[in-house]
Amino acid sequence: MSHLPKVSVIVTTYQRADLLRRVVSDLQRQSLADFEVIIVDDGSTDHTESVVRGISDPRFRYVRKPHIGVPAVVNAGMVTSAGEYIMICHDHDMYSPTMLEKFSACLDRHPSAAFCFCGYVLLDASGTIEVSREIHDFTEIIPGREFFVEQLLPRLDSCVSALSMIRRSALAGEYLDPRIGGCADVELWHRLAASWDVAYVREPLIKLRGRDPSSVFSDAALELLRGILATKDRYLRYAGDAREQRTIRRGWRRGVDAIAFSHLLKELAYGSREALPTGADLIRSAGSPEAFAVLRFLALAPRPLSIALLKGLG
């Protein structure tokens, strides 16, 4: 029987040949040697294929697809992988040389955990300036039900990065839900935490590069937010009684208000009043009554006053 790798790394890529070189280098420097890398090209028209064909490392495989988008391109990699654990990587981020070793060791220590995530550093789109870092005070193993109710379900900004390591057996043959689109990983973390525990490495093993204009998600924040809300609504029934569910929904509305007001401020300060429907529609569909009242005021107020008000709300 041929040897199966400990970890399968799925790198999805589209039109980022030059950045992909750095990702390949980061993976080749990993302290854990027992892994395979499946680079799934989502129909790139740049020189991505020549970059990958130039990799002499036998652990790397190349799969080219027509432009099918997320999450189908991720699933294409998962289906062809063979490792005990599956690690999702993007084609533009930066990875510590101990990332695979520390993730897999953590899952080895905690067989009840479905996935493992870590702290991270957020960089600007150039990848040179640190914007922030996110390191939580979680224990190494977190009861899944507790994590689901206290962390995943109430928050619109997920504390779990899409770049996490997953136990293959926990997936039970079900990968990312193709109906959900770009936020399908959010649904996956909810699904797994509802039945399994969660592991955490309290180190910034990943540097996330801010989205540049080439990203298909660079201008899709509000559309992604709608998808996240729809996903969370599917799992709300697991949160407890009706009172607790109402409390969580109020928290969602406050989160929507903050995001929509920030978006409206950018539109008014740098765009035009005609752009207001983009954020306004979100408030109407998922925001609070208080935010809707502010929205009605903004529709009538002079632009300088609207900008001052939105800055105050921020």
Side-chain angles (χ1 to χ4, degrees), residues 24 28 39 50-61:
V24 170
Q28 288 180 316
I39 298 176
S50 64
V51 168
V52 181
R53 298 296 186 195
I55 302 171
S56 59
D57 193 326
R59 296 173 298 180
F60 284 70
R61 287 193 282 141

Side-chain angles (χ1 to χ4, degrees), residues 1 4 9 15 18 54 57 66 75 96 111 138 158 186 211 214 233 251 262 264 274 282 291-292 295:
M1 180 182 294
L4 297 180
V9 181
Q15 306 290 61
D18 293 333
D57 193 326
N75 287 343
S96 163
F138 296 139
S158 178
V186 175
R211 287 173 179 154
S214 68
D233 195 59
S262 175
L264 290 171
E274 286 70 28
L282 189 60
F292 183 71
L295 186 64

